Amino acid sequence: MTTDLPAPAPGPQFNFAQHLLALNVGRATKSACIDDLGTLSYGQLDERVRRFGAALRGLGLKREERVLLLMQDGNDWPVAFLGAIFVGVVPVPVNTLLTADDYAYLLEHSRAQAAIVSGALLPALTAAMVKSDHEVHKVVVSRPAAPLHPSEVEFDAFWQAHAPLARPAATSPDDPGFWLYSSGSTGRPKGAVHSQANPYWTAELYGKGVLGLAESDICFSAAKLFFAYGLGNGLTFPMSVGATSIYMAERPTPEATFKRWTGGIGGVKPTVFFGAPTGYAGMLAHPSLPARDAVALRLASSAGEALPAELGERFQRHYGVDIVDGIGSTEMLHVFISNRPDRVRYGSTGWPVPGYDIELRGEDGRQVPDGEPGDLYIHGPSAAMMYWGNREKTRETFQGGWTKAGDKYVRNDDGSYTYSGRSDDMLKVSGIWVSPFEVEATLIQHPAVLEAAVIGVNDAEGLVKTRAYVVLKNGAAATEAELKAFVKDRLAPYKYPRSIEFVADLPKTATGKIQRFKLREIAQS
């Protein structure tokens, strides 16, 4: 097991926000981030982080109390996130694609004392607060789309009313820094508590150590900042080396991505792009795919789902740049197994990131030999501390210094690792976890549906899509479009089944349990 990490450990007093500000104190005029509305320099970021932290203190928020971040990517995002961390308040970034019911649960579970929200998302948050018994004391609205309620305050007015703080909270590396929510098999998300030091370790070991990011880079991530993957790509990695980030509030469609690749925002072109396989497939198939000489890419990264070899090879042929594929998780904060910019084995996830140890274990808990699939366990310095308020899942996932990923892998002869599937029935669709049970439970609420089972099937590009097998009640009728719309109305839109097959019955065991493996066999035949 690794004992000597390839980077110095933080000292006994460590505040991650202060760490980033100190690293960039000599870059006051350099662009830290660029969004559709303008540029924020490192000097401006420093001042606003300190002022925003002071404003949170002005609300009476205390160390380790939570503040919800329901924000689209933009220049206000790092101000809010780092401003909270600076004063020891714990920011809780959440998915911007959820429903009001989801946000009501997240407010109650996190016990957030304040919420910071983008104007476009304020209606969803307002509906959530009506549904929830938990009281949020103040709502700070970034770029409001309509006049604000007296209980709400505009983002810039919030931080501008306070002088910048000279010193951060005297936090330690092991103090809670922020939470990230990870979906579970029941559909209820789990709050992974990350320490102040965890983003330091991922930036040192992966951002610098593997990707080799530099001050001259311009980073653009299709994965949003509320994801663990996007948070590293768009904030902690570039700011750890003094690079510049491009932020995009809209969905990462091929057209929106290409606009930024070719300098359509602020005249700058990204040198490093972070995406997911589904996004790469959509871009490579798009008629407006930019030519090689129209972009400035020197590096492309992928995570979130297994990258089919053919996608990586096509991208390399077109741009002369390899896609560096890896695997990370919300629990480990970022990538812990990865290919290298100078060493890519398409079809595999690559090699352990220095500083992380990997074990593949069988059902007996012992390591499996090379070539045989086993459950993936990771030991490394960026593991979350726990799932908040969920002792059972904490014990199941975080085991004596090791983190159980929930994935099955095979170790190859050259020490690389190849994805072999999930240890449970969870599905990774377009880089986001989807619980089959949650989708099934929603489908059977339709008056025409008797039973439903959801599995993942590979499309023509080798990417996982959800398929529902549905049994209708005797004499009832429903169409595929109708059921898809029914699910979209009740769950986050990305969870709807991409295809639906109507069947007379579902394969089951003698005890009545659905045999999903038989449905997978049917789908593959």
Side-chain angles (χ1 to χ4, degrees):
M1 187 159 45
T2 298
T3 53
D4 296 325
L5 291 164
Q13 184 169 313
F14 180 79
N15 180 284
F16 182 70
Q18 167 63 14
H19 168 70
L20 289 187
L21 297 183
L23 286 176
N24 294 293
V25 71
R27 301 186 178 99
T29 60
K30 188 177 190 296
S31 298
C33 44
I34 302 169
D35 67 12
D36 289 1
L37 298 183
T39 299
L40 190 68
S41 71
Y42 274 105
Q44 292 171 317
L45 177 67
D46 187 299
E47 179 186 7
R48 293 184 189 188
V49 164
R50 295 172 186 273
R51 285 176 177 263
F52 197 90
L56 291 176
R57 279 190 182 174
L59 291 179
L61 267 66
K62 301 178 178 60
R63 279 180 58 172
E64 299 184 22
E65 289 186 327
R66 273 76 65 190
V67 56
L68 195 81
L69 263 66
L70 177 55
M71 302 180 72
Q72 296 173 326
D73 285 15
N75 292 346
D76 288 345
W77 210 105
V79 172
F81 182 76
L82 296 174
I85 291 176
F86 192 83
V87 293
V89 172
V90 178
V92 184
V94 295
N95 192 327
T96 59
L97 304 174
L98 302 180
T99 66
D101 285 340
D102 294 324
Y103 296 132
Y105 170 78
L106 295 174
L107 286 170
E108 292 171 358
H109 185 258
S110 67
R111 303 170 195 160
Q113 297 300 299
I116 308 164
V117 60
S118 294
L121 301 171
L122 180 58
L125 178 67
T126 302
M129 291 191 295
V130 171
K131 292 172 178 284
S132 172
D133 292 331
H134 175 73
E135 182 180 357
V136 175
H137 298 299
K138 179 64 71 172
V139 176
V140 181
V141 185
S142 169
R143 303 172 184 177
L148 298 180
H149 187 273
S151 63
E152 300 160 351
V153 60
E154 193 271 330
F155 189 92
D156 287 342
F158 182 64
W159 63 262
Q160 287 173 352
H162 294 265
L165 295 171
R167 294 193 303 273
T171 52
S172 80
D174 293 333
D175 281 344
F178 57 96
W179 293 11
L180 293 174
Y181 274 95
S182 175
S183 295
S185 59
T186 62
R188 281 299 192 191
K190 305 183 296 291
V193 180
H194 281 286
S195 71
Q196 289 274 351
N198 282 3
Y200 164 83
W201 285 117
T202 57
E204 292 295 317
L205 300 180
Y206 183 67
K208 297 179 184 179
V210 172
L211 296 182
L213 297 181
E215 180 181 5
S216 57
D217 278 316
I218 299 172
C219 299
F220 173 44
S221 176
K224 299 300 185 181
L225 289 165
F226 63 77
F227 288 117
Y229 182 49
L231 179 62
N233 305 341
L235 198 160
T236 64
F237 293 179
M239 291 186 182
S240 290
V241 297
T244 300
S245 293
I246 295 175
Y247 292 147
M248 178 173 71
E250 62 187 297
R251 290 178 55 247
T253 62
E255 296 90 343
T257 301
F258 298 158
K259 181 179 180 181
R260 284 146 184 90
W261 277 10
T262 55
I265 303 297
V268 297
K269 296 181 180 181
T271 61
V272 181
F273 176 70
F274 300 87
T278 296
Y280 282 112
M283 290 186 291
L284 287 170
H286 199 277
S288 300
L289 181 69
R292 181 185 296 197
D293 60 4
V295 304
L297 296 177
R298 72 164 189 86
L299 178 66
S301 165
S302 177
E305 55 188 326
L307 176 74
E310 190 267 343
L311 281 181
E313 292 163 354
R314 283 169 54 199
F315 190 89
Q316 202 284 333
R317 286 195 298 270
H318 188 81
Y319 287 114
V321 173
D322 280 306
I323 298 178
V324 179
D325 188 34
I327 180 177
S329 69
T330 304
E331 291 77 9
M332 293 303 298
L333 188 58
H334 215 278
V335 169
F336 47 81
I337 299 176
S338 180
N339 285 270
R340 308 287 193 271
D342 59 351
R343 189 186 185 195
V344 171
R345 176 178 173 173
Y346 285 125
S348 87
T349 308
W351 296 264
V353 171
Y356 294 88
D357 290 298
I358 303 298
E359 285 189 3
L360 303 182
R361 303 177 188 175
E363 292 184 2
D364 58 2
R366 297 181 180 180
Q367 292 191 59
V368 300
D370 287 0
E372 292 188 15
D375 291 316
L376 176 63
Y377 286 77
I378 312 103
H379 185 281
S382 62
M385 304 163 72
M386 62 176 168
Y387 294 129
W388 180 265
N390 196 332
R391 194 174 187 183
E392 178 184 357
K393 287 294 183 182
T394 295
R395 287 177 166 176
E396 181 181 314
T397 300
F398 305 104
Q399 302 181 12
W402 291 86
T403 300
K404 184 178 182 181
D407 297 291
K408 287 188 179 291
Y409 264 81
V410 172
R411 187 178 187 271
N412 305 307
D413 292 340
D414 63 356
S416 65
Y417 288 79
T418 299
Y419 181 67
S420 186
R422 281 291 294 174
S423 303
D424 57 22
D425 286 318
M426 290 291 287
L427 302 173
K428 204 70 170 290
V429 181
S430 299
I432 307 177
W433 287 117
V434 174
S435 167
F437 309 103
E438 184 181 23
V439 181
E440 291 163 3
T442 303
L443 281 167
I444 62 176
Q445 294 174 24
H446 190 282
V449 175
L450 177 64
E451 293 179 308
V454 174
I455 64 168
V457 296
N458 289 340
D459 65 9
E461 300 282 1
L463 300 169
V464 175
K465 304 298 180 188
T466 45
R467 174 177 296 174
Y469 289 85
V470 172
V471 179
L472 297 177
K473 296 175 182 176
N474 287 335
T479 66
E480 181 176 8
E482 178 184 352
L483 294 183
K484 286 180 178 180
F486 184 83
V487 175
K488 285 182 180 180
D489 286 343
R490 287 157 178 79
L491 297 178
Y494 64 85
K495 296 181 180 181
Y496 84 95
R498 299 309 195 270
S499 63
I500 296 177
E501 299 282 341
F502 293 98
V503 294
D505 51 45
L506 297 173
K508 298 176 182 176
T509 65
T511 58
K513 184 178 180 180
I514 296 173
Q515 295 174 306
R516 286 182 177 78
F517 74 93
K518 289 192 174 180
L519 293 175
R520 286 189 279 268
E521 290 174 355
I522 293 171
Q524 293 169 3
S525 61

